[in-house]
Amino acid sequence: MDDLEKGILIMFDESGALDDDLKKQAKLYCNAIKEKPSICRLCIEKLCFSNLVQVQFWCLQTLHEVIRTRYLTMTPDERHMIRGSVFSIVCLEDKNLTRVLEGPAFIKNKLAQVLITLIYFDYPLVWSSVFVDFFPHLSKGNVVIDMFCRVLNALDDELISLDYPRTHEELTVASRIKDAMRQQCVSQIVRAWYDIVSMYRNSDQELCTSVLDSMRRYISWIDIGLIVNDAFIPLLFDLILVGPLSDQLRGAAVRCLLAVVSKRMEPQSKLSLLQSLHISRVVRLVTENDDAELVSDIAALLTGYAVEALDCFKRINSEDAKGISIELLSEVLPSIFYVMKNFEVDATFNIIQFLSGYVSILKSFSPLPEKQLLHLGQILEVILVLIRYNPAYRGNLDVMDKIGKEEEDRMVEFRKDLFVLLRTVGRVAPDVTQMFIRNSLASAVSISSNSNVEEVEGALSLLYALGESISEEAMKTGSGLLSELVLMLLSTKFPCHSNRLVALVYLETVTRYVKFIQDNTQYIPMVLAAFLDERGIHHSNINVSRRASYLFMRVVKLLKMKLVPFIETILQSLQDTVAQFTIMNYTAEELSGSEDGSHIFEAIGLLIGTEDVQPEKQSDYLSSLLSPLCQQVEALLINAKLLNVEEANAKIAVIQQIIMAINSLSKGFSERLVTASRPAIGLMFKQTLDVLLQVLVTFPKVEPLRNKVTSFIHRMVDTLGASVFPYLPKALEQLLEEIEPKQMVCFLLLLNQLICKFNTLVRDILEQIFPAVADRIFSVIPRNGLPSTGPDAITEEVRELQELQRTLYTFLHVITTHDLSPVFLVPKCKAYLDPVMQLLLFSSCNHKDILVRKACVQIFIRLIKDWCAQPYEEKVPGFRSFVIEAFATNCCFYSVLDRSFEFHDANTFVLFGEIVLAQKVMYEKFGDDFLVHFVSKGLSSAECPQDLAEQYRQKLQCGDLKALKSFYQSVVENLRLQQNGSLVFR
């Protein structure tokens, strides 16, 4: 063993016994050898004499690399030597070379790859005989034949197959090689395939399988007549149908037939080809064979055949030809249905896509023939079988462990195409579809045990999915069998209703078809029972119960008025569910996901919040709900500050849940009802607000509680309207107490809501709190904005500050656009005017978010209008000169002149429009003071020609905003070009 062989063995060692440094040294040594001019000769010598697999692989890998990168720079003699040596090894020209061909598969595959690299460069111009020279050596037996197959496979993988992305150069070379092979040797290759399979079919079936798998790859681009003839097609069918051959060989023959069927050609020729195959001969194998892999291959063949027959139907106009296509489809469809119902096959997705196409063409049949109606029924059977869960996962799915979650996610994705197919069938044959679902439900119900969970869930899922394609009118009238289906759904209590999946899909389905109940109110008691008994909100599985609460809320929204007569019944049924929110001793398990149950309060609020409920009863209902909840909060707040952390956290969690419940309850009450028609209701919510504000006093720094209380204040602003005003100073004061800067986002959003709803009515409140708001914000955000950071450098803290800054811009924009700019000028707020102006100026020029810059420019425009209403008026000392000298020059000129200001960007162009509007407004308010400064300090400083500056003055005085915008853009673009020295102004 020489040093190179030792180095290769060390480099490939995987025992873990060798030092990493030693392996690195070995790699460096071997790489250095690769650079020698004689490396190809050295590798070939090693291949001839070394029995070490690692050495053989390294030599082949090196040959492949060197040929790929250096072949064209070699001398003709060197290339001839490499071609001759590699071909000698491949074809076993010297018996001493058998060691490579007798090696493992990966060595032979690598050798084939090396030969294909030579073919890439030299065939057919330099080495035209490479394939022809191969044929005489095939007589040497299976070793060379096997290598012949590997070479053809490598040619397909490396160059021809379009299953891999190819460069333009590779596509050109592939085309060159295929053209040469078609002209020179394809017919001989096909003859060799035929002879080998015929000769070795009984003695070496593995070799025949390899030959057929190679042949399959080439059928798509060779003359189909070489395969479809009286010799080869009978041979393929003989392999599939006759004799005790291996399933692998039969499968390879089936795959070749699929390649024949899939060959691209004119539809009439394809139809003749399909007819000539008499594919029905293969159909019986589906029921006779239990080898899943072979059945999968046969299913793919039958599907491919059906796809081509369907394509012929679509592309041929002749009615006779269309009839033949339908006959061919009818020949194979029963077997496809059988396979789909009884086997798991790789071609499932393709089959579903084909069936969707088949059903689509049936839309043109009127009426549908009996045979096609039968096919549709069988397609529905296939869908039902495929959407069923595997019973092996029943336990996992019920408790929703990791395995159950993965299986449910997989099935949700898998079912999508099947449900699309179902809805297509439903549109083509609604009566057939509804009858099938009715019978499926009836069949599932007939088994009075828990053993049919999957059947029940599947049938319910079909009914649920069908509902998506039913028109609103058909849903309301219950056309066809829909009314019967809905009645069956509502009146049935499945034995397996305790199962999570069955319970969930049942409730989802009832919710989907509840529009039918709107015009069929006699079924309302049945709907209520489904949600209120153990099938829904009182289900033993908490996930089902919570989902039922949400779905019930949706049902209430839809049926609202029609449920008023049932309010007493509903509240009585929900009494225990509601009472859980006032239990003191919550367990950890009950607290987990505590907010999920609040949907039931929203449903109740929607029910009792309508004016159809008598005022006295409405007050009683609301009081019976709010009073216990408020009392509970008050009890939890007593001595809360003296508790240890664990006890405090438990109380906080309960309070959170209660606030969510109250918040949800209030959603059913309108502002008009609680303030005008029934103020007693409004008083109850005000008292509740008083109680919940105490939470902020007791727990001022608990962020989740602050958020919940803030959310409730939002709700009360919408619900109580202006009557909430007496409570706002206290609420805002408590929210500001000990508030962290990052918590200011929620606070600003609340202020924005107040301003947008009440406009100038909130001026006094805003004047009181603005200094505290500004003080906290400017303690963390500098007047020149936050520094720019790359995506990788953004921490959670930076992200929070960026969100606060964005919200601040919105807050300032809302203030100015709602006539509240005087707030900035009151004595206690005036100290913050300068930092606000500096921040707005900096951001209007430099902020990376164009929408923020636009908002800042709009704020300046509004302030100019507010504070400079009359020409030369100085309502705010210094503001006029600040706008002319700082804002106009920096934002309206220099920021636009910068090349980062991209006119082709839509948002940027809108910003530009606002900047031009600002110039127009400044000219209207400041006259020549603005114009002279803007021209001298802006345009002239950028060496804008005097005549252009004069034209700008004229456009500005004209007042045509569109013309000014277009002209100013051209000025800016010309100035940019002038800065590059590439333009002389015209």
Side-chain angles (χ1 to χ4, degrees), residues 891-898 901 903 912 915 968 972 976:
C891 175
C892 297
F893 182 68
Y894 286 116
S895 76
V896 177
L897 190 59
D898 191 283
F901 195 96
F903 286 107
F912 181 68
I915 288 173
Y968 190 54
V972 171
R976 288 179 181 177

Side-chain angles (χ1 to χ4, degrees), residues 33-89:
I33 298 290
K34 280 184 185 180
E35 300 305 317
K36 290 187 175 183
S38 60
I39 184 61
C40 290
R41 190 176 298 276
L42 177 63
C43 287
I44 290 166
E45 288 175 2
K46 293 290 181 189
L47 286 171
C48 292
F49 299 108
S50 177
N51 291 317
L52 297 170
V53 171
Q54 297 94 324
V55 174
Q56 292 173 2
F57 181 77
W58 185 87
C59 289
L60 289 169
Q61 189 179 48
T62 301
L63 270 177
H64 179 246
E65 184 181 321
V66 171
I67 294 169
R68 201 162 42 85
T69 57
R70 290 189 250 166
Y71 189 69
L72 295 178
T73 64
M74 295 178 187
T75 67
D77 289 342
E78 285 179 300
R79 292 191 222 169
H80 184 269
M81 182 274 297
I82 294 170
R83 285 197 302 269
S85 300
V86 171
F87 193 74
S88 294
I89 298 172

Side-chain angles (χ1 to χ4, degrees), residues 605-625:
L606 290 167
L607 278 172
I608 67 174
T610 173
E611 293 196 26
D612 292 334
V613 180
Q614 295 176 2
E616 299 79 14
K617 283 196 170 186
Q618 193 172 52
S619 294
D620 290 345
Y621 292 149
L622 185 59
S623 177
S624 69
L625 291 159

Side-chain angles (χ1 to χ4, degrees), residues 306-362:
V307 166
E308 296 300 325
L310 181 64
D311 187 59
C312 289
F313 178 90
K314 293 176 180 177
R315 294 168 63 195
I316 293 178
N317 295 323
S318 162
E319 289 303 318
D320 289 342
K322 283 182 179 291
I324 293 171
S325 299
I326 291 297
E327 286 177 15
L328 296 179
L329 281 168
S330 300
E331 204 175 332
V332 296
L333 276 172
S335 296
I336 293 175
F337 297 144
Y338 179 84
V339 170
M340 293 291 282
K341 287 190 284 186
N342 293 281
F343 295 90
E344 288 186 17
V345 293
D346 297 334
T348 296
F349 176 76
N350 293 335
I351 295 173
I352 294 169
Q353 297 303 306
F354 155 70
L355 292 176
S356 294
Y358 174 63
V359 174
S360 295
I361 69 163
L362 298 184

Side-chain angles (χ1 to χ4, degrees), residues 531-532 537-538 549 552 568-580 600-601 603-604 607:
F531 280 99
L532 299 176
I537 291 167
H538 290 93
S549 297
F552 182 61
E568 296 279 358
T569 305
I570 293 169
L571 292 180
Q572 191 171 356
S573 297
L574 294 174
Q575 202 166 3
D576 57 340
T577 306
V578 170
Q580 290 176 7
I600 204 65
F601 282 86
I604 293 172
L607 278 172

Side-chain angles (χ1 to χ4, degrees), residues 205-206 208-220 227 236-237 239-240 246-263 279 282 291-302 304 346:
Q205 295 182 17
E206 187 177 344
C208 292
T209 301
S210 298
V211 170
L212 291 178
D213 278 336
S214 289
M215 176 178 123
R216 170 187 56 81
R217 296 166 175 253
Y218 286 76
I219 291 173
S220 65
I227 306 296
L236 291 174
F237 274 103
L239 293 171
I240 296 169
S246 69
D247 287 334
Q248 288 73 25
L249 178 54
R250 298 168 80 190
V254 169
R255 292 191 291 274
C256 284
L257 278 180
L258 175 57
V260 169
V261 164
S262 306
K263 175 85 171 176
I279 204 71
V282 178
D291 180 79
E293 197 169 327
L294 178 58
V295 170
S296 185
D297 284 330
I298 295 171
L301 169 60
L302 297 178
D346 297 334

